[in-house]
Amino acid sequence: DLDSLATATLGEAIPIAALFDWLRGKPWDGAPSTPRVDGRPGFEQLGWRIDLTRWADGALDAVRDSVPAVTLRARLERP
């Protein structure tokens, strides 16, 4: 599956099914999510904190604080 492939390729588990929705700026329907506790734009889901502060500029940050901590940054180009 995609999660196993990501783990084998990147060395860490990344929720790929959720990532596709996160890249659209929304929580994945397959798991509960909550608004960010710090009040910044985004949400928390599956142990990840999704930062949409720079979403209008095409940037997304996803941070997992559990050990080992992981930061995933994506830059999206829109037509």
Side-chain angles (χ1 to χ4, degrees):
D1 66 10
L2 288 176
D3 288 347
S4 297
L5 179 62
T7 300
T9 304
L10 304 172
E12 286 301 325
I14 306 291
I16 299 298
L19 182 61
F20 289 116
D21 282 332
W22 296 353
L23 291 171
R24 292 183 187 99
K26 64 179 191 155
W28 179 47
D29 290 339
S33 66
T34 58
R36 288 180 55 128
V37 296
D38 61 8
R40 295 179 74 163
F43 51 90
E44 296 186 18
Q45 188 172 46
L46 299 171
W48 291 77
R49 187 175 57 250
I50 311 306
D51 186 350
L52 298 175
T53 303
R54 299 178 304 136
W55 177 248
D57 297 327
L60 172 124
D61 291 340
V63 177
R64 184 185 74 192
D65 290 325
S66 63
V67 177
V70 175
T71 299
L72 184 141
R73 291 192 172 105
R75 184 80 165 146
L76 307 168
E77 292 190 26
R78 298 184 178 122

